[in-house]
Amino acid sequence: MYRRVLIKLSGETMCGEGSRGFDEKSVQYLVKQISQAVDFGANIGIVIGAGNIFRGEELSNIPYAIADQIGMLGTVINALYLKGVFQKHGVKSVVVSQISNLPSIRPIHYDDINLYFDAGYVVIFAGGTSNPFFTTDTAAALRAVEMGAEVLIKATKVDGVYDSDPKKNKSAKKIERLSYQEAIQRGLKVMDMEAFSICGRYKLPIIVLNFFEDGAILRAIRGENVGSIILPD
Ligand SMILES: Nc1ncnc2c1ncn2[C@@H]1O[C@H](COP(=O)(O)OP(=O)(O)OP(=O)(O)O)[C@@H](O)[C@H]1O
Ligand SMILES: O=c1ccn([C@@H]2O[C@H](COP(=O)(O)O)[C@@H](O)[C@H]2O)c(=O)[nH]1
C-alpha cells in the first residue's frame, strides 16, 4: 500500500470526457473517488489540469506565454471548485499555490504541507508549475517529489500506458509495466516527457489508470494491480 500519494486529475474529471465546464454528477463521482482514498488513511495531494476550461495551445492569436498563464489560472479555478465541493461533502482540504493569493489560497510552504497531512487535509496544488510552457503533468511530478509522495497516480481517460495512443489506434497494445527510460525513448505521450524525467530522477513510481473506473484509485493505493506502472529499470 502507499501512504502518501499525489493524484493528477485530468480537468475533464470535472465535467466528463470531451465536455467543458462543471457537471454535478461528474463532480459527485470525483468526490467519491477521493473520499475513498482519504477514508483508507492515505495522505492525498492533488494536481488538477484545466482541460475542462482552457488549454494554452487553444489560443493561437496571442503569444504562448500569455495563453499558458490563462491556462494556469484555469487550474486555480478548478482547485477552488474542488475545495468547495469537498467542503460541502465534509472532506477537509486546503488549496496551495504560488501564483494566487486569494482568500481561500495559501502559499506553498514545505513545513506546512506535513502539518496539513497530519491534520487529515487533502492538499490541492493549484497553478501548475507557476511557469508557462509546461503542463500540469510536470507540475504533478514536481509537487509529488516536493510532498514526499510514494507514488504519482495519473488518473486519466485511458486505463494505462499503450504502445500508441489507444484513442487513435484501436489495435494499440497495453504495457502493464515499463521504465521511465522506455517511456521516454518510445515517446509514449500519455504523459509529458518532463514528468517522466523528473519521476525517473527521483525514482518515483507512476501509475496510469482510468479515472472513470469506479474504485480504481483506491485499489491502486492499496497496492493492487491497476492500469500500468512506470518504475526504475
Ligand atoms: N502511449 C499512450 N498510452 C496511453 N495514452 C496515450 C498514449 N499516447 C497518447 N495518449 C493519450 O493521452 C491522454 C492522456 O493525456 P492528456 O494530457 O490528454 O490528458 P490529461 O493529462 O489526463 O488531461 P488534462 O489535459 O486535462 O490535464 C489519453 O487520453 C490518451 O488518449
Ligand atoms: O505548469 C503549467 C501548467 C499548465 N499550464 C497551462 O495550463 C493549461 C492547462 O493545463 P493542462 O495540463 O493542459 O490541463 C496548459 O495547457 C498550459 O497552457 C502552464 O502554462 N504551466
Side-chain angles (χ1 to χ4, degrees), residues 155-219:
T156 187
K157 296 159 278 188
V158 293
D159 67 350
V161 182
Y162 285 74
D163 59 359
S164 62
D165 187 345
K167 295 272 184 201
K168 293 184 184 153
N169 177 8
K170 291 284 165 242
S171 52
K173 294 206 169 34
K174 189 167 166 183
I175 310 168
E176 291 198 346
R177 207 180 164 91
L178 67 160
S179 68
Y180 313 101
Q181 213 45 42
E182 199 180 344
I184 293 169
Q185 273 164 6
R186 295 173 72 170
L188 303 176
K189 294 202 174 70
V190 65
M191 229 170 160
D192 296 350
M193 297 300 130
E194 290 87 350
F196 287 136
S197 168
I198 294 164
C199 292
R201 202 175 317 141
Y202 294 97
K203 299 192 171 20
L204 177 69
I206 305 171
I207 296 175
V208 177
L209 56 75
N210 185 353
F211 171 80
F212 300 101
E213 205 180 294
D214 196 4
I217 292 177
L218 177 63
R219 289 202 301 282

Side-chain angles (χ1 to χ4, degrees), residues 33-80:
Q33 304 311 305
I34 302 300
S35 299
Q36 288 174 348
V38 172
D39 293 346
F40 180 67
N43 295 157
I44 303 294
I46 293 178
V47 167
I48 185 156
N52 60 319
I53 300 174
F54 181 77
R55 290 188 177 99
E57 65 199 18
E58 289 168 19
L59 268 192
S60 53
N61 59 332
I62 59 170
Y64 289 133
I66 295 178
D68 278 347
Q69 290 174 64
I70 300 172
M72 283 191 281
L73 289 174
T75 72
V76 175
I77 293 172
N78 276 342
L80 282 172

Side-chain angles (χ1 to χ4, degrees), residues 49-51 54-56 68 71-72 128-129 131-136:
F54 181 77
R55 290 188 177 99
D68 278 347
M72 283 191 281
T129 61
N131 282 298
F133 309 116
F134 289 101
T135 76
T136 50

Side-chain angles (χ1 to χ4, degrees), residues 3 28 31 80 83 86 102 115 117 120 156 161 163 169-170 181 198 216 224 228:
R3 282 154 302 184
Q28 295 277 344
V31 172
L80 282 172
K83 180 180 167 58
F86 279 157
L102 290 167
L115 296 177
F117 285 138
T156 187
V161 182
D163 59 359
N169 177 8
K170 291 284 165 242
Q181 213 45 42
I198 294 164
E224 293 173 29
S228 298

Side-chain angles (χ1 to χ4, degrees), residues 115-154:
L115 296 177
Y116 299 143
F117 285 138
D118 290 346
Y121 281 74
V122 172
V123 179
I124 308 168
F125 296 94
T129 61
S130 312
N131 282 298
F133 309 116
F134 289 101
T135 76
T136 50
D137 279 349
T138 304
L142 288 172
R143 302 304 175 225
V145 173
E146 290 177 302
M147 69 174 245
E150 294 170 344
V151 67
L152 189 170
I153 295 179
K154 171 152 172 149

